[in-house]
Amino acid sequence: LRPIAVEPDGSVLIASLNLYRVSVQDWRAAWGKAGGKIALKSVLTRKQVGGEILAVVRRPEDGVYWMSCGMELCRMGTNGEIRHFGKADGLPESRWYDVTSDRKGNLYARGLKAVAVLRAGASRFEVLSDIKDLHTLRRGRLTVDRDGMLLVPGNDALHTWNGAKWSIVGPRNGWPEIGTHDALEDREGGVWVATAGMGIIRWIGRREWRNYGAAEGLEDPTVWSVKRFRSGLWVGCENGLYLGRESTD
């Protein structure tokens, strides 16, 4: 389960060609049963938006949903009206694998080979500098930390954008030589990074690393997406969806 986003009530949105919703209650009910299946509630279909839905975000400031829709991006307002954004709006033709927003109202989108931004109040997207290895993990996510830094997981490094230039956290900084898929920042400033084969790595204070895997109940080592809500973490893995309680230990 790769692209996920969290609703205000803690429910998780899953962009898997179509758009689905899973509540915490439904997840717990299924998890407690042998062979139990999670109830996926349909929100939107690809036919409704004119293309595959591979990413979604709900902007908390206005309740508007942004999502990928084929080779474009779509915005769904609170009234259900859908508008498409493409070449005419500054977006190169691409599949878009993640969308996220920051506290200033800027919207970021990650495509096959580039990251684009729709700045607050603007009507056109701008393409940021290309990252050469975006294509190798094209389904990687985007995250904005508390300081407005954009975190972009890459092939064997975590790329950061401060609004003016790119920086890289990689093996030279003690980062393990492994692909990354997603990242989020916790309340203490630590960064949780989803990896391709090592479960979740917690970057504590940006100086120390801690790994979370089977010993901590995360049985699937390939993690595609990790999102926090008020009382825990949703973790989307190759073979399923996990719900965990965030620890500060």
Side-chain angles (χ1 to χ4, degrees), residues 3 67 73 90 113-114 126-127 134 164 175 182 220 225 227 233:
M67 67 198 78
L73 290 178
K113 296 182 179 180
E126 304 170 30
V127 176
L134 270 182
W175 184 267
D182 197 3
D220 192 332
S225 190
K227 292 290 182 288
L233 296 172

Side-chain angles (χ1 to χ4, degrees), residues 133-176:
D133 70 347
L134 270 182
H135 68 283
T136 60
L137 282 176
R138 57 187 179 275
R139 294 180 184 272
R141 313 267 71 84
L142 295 172
T143 300
V144 180
D145 71 11
R146 68 184 65 185
D147 297 321
M149 184 84 72
L150 183 67
L151 308 178
V152 184
N155 185 39
D156 59 359
L158 184 66
H159 303 265
T160 63
W161 170 262
N162 66 2
K165 66 178 182 178
W166 291 103
S167 298
I168 298 176
V169 179
R172 292 184 179 180
N173 309 95
W175 184 267

Side-chain angles (χ1 to χ4, degrees), residues 1-239:
L1 295 174
R2 299 175 182 181
I4 61 176
V6 176
E7 295 271 60
D9 65 355
S11 298
V12 63
L13 292 172
I14 302 172
S16 182
L17 304 183
N18 301 311
L19 186 62
Y20 304 95
R21 178 183 287 111
V22 176
S23 70
V24 175
Q25 293 78 12
D26 287 342
W27 183 92
R28 286 175 175 162
W31 191 257
K33 299 178 182 178
K37 294 184 178 181
I38 300 173
L40 296 178
K41 297 179 180 178
S42 178
V43 179
L44 277 175
T45 68
R46 51 187 148 178
K47 289 184 178 180
Q48 288 176 284
V49 299
E52 297 176 347
I53 303 174
L54 301 176
V56 62
V57 68
R58 179 184 183 276
R59 287 160 53 111
E61 62 268 26
D62 55 16
V64 169
Y65 292 88
W66 283 85
M67 67 198 78
S68 63
C69 44
M71 304 297 282
E72 298 181 323
L73 290 178
C74 288
R75 182 183 66 192
M76 185 175 73
T78 54
N79 61 356
E81 182 179 351
I82 296 174
R83 184 197 162 185
H84 288 248
F85 290 77
K87 285 185 177 180
D89 307 289
L91 274 179
E93 187 174 0
S94 173
R95 292 190 183 279
W96 297 95
Y97 293 102
D98 200 21
V99 283
T100 193
S101 61
D102 63 19
R103 296 178 180 178
K104 296 180 180 179
N106 299 314
L107 182 85
Y108 296 93
R110 178 175 183 163
L112 187 62
K113 296 182 179 180
V115 176
V117 58
L118 179 65
R119 301 190 188 279
S123 58
R124 288 180 57 83
F125 281 85
E126 304 170 30
V127 176
L128 303 180
S129 303
D130 289 357
I131 301 176
K132 65 181 181 179
D133 70 347
L134 270 182
H135 68 283
T136 60
L137 282 176
R138 57 187 179 275
R139 294 180 184 272
R141 313 267 71 84
L142 295 172
T143 300
V144 180
D145 71 11
R146 68 184 65 185
D147 297 321
M149 184 84 72
L150 183 67
L151 308 178
V152 184
N155 185 39
D156 59 359
L158 184 66
H159 303 265
T160 63
W161 170 262
N162 66 2
K165 66 178 182 178
W166 291 103
S167 298
I168 298 176
V169 179
R172 292 184 179 180
N173 309 95
W175 184 267
E177 294 187 16
I178 191 167
T180 58
H181 296 148
D182 197 3
L184 69 79
E185 183 182 41
D186 63 26
R187 297 178 183 86
E188 289 72 41
V191 174
W192 300 68
V193 183
T195 72
M198 287 185 63
I200 295 175
I201 295 177
R202 189 181 181 198
W203 190 6
I204 308 170
R206 312 292 175 95
R207 288 290 181 268
E208 301 176 35
W209 308 95
R210 182 177 298 172
N211 178 247
Y212 292 79
E216 291 74 31
L218 187 60
E219 298 175 359
D220 192 332
T222 301
V223 181
W224 287 98
S225 190
V226 54
K227 292 290 182 288
R228 186 181 66 213
F229 68 104
R230 61 182 180 275
S231 59
L233 296 172
W234 284 107
V235 182
C237 296
E238 183 72 18
N239 297 312

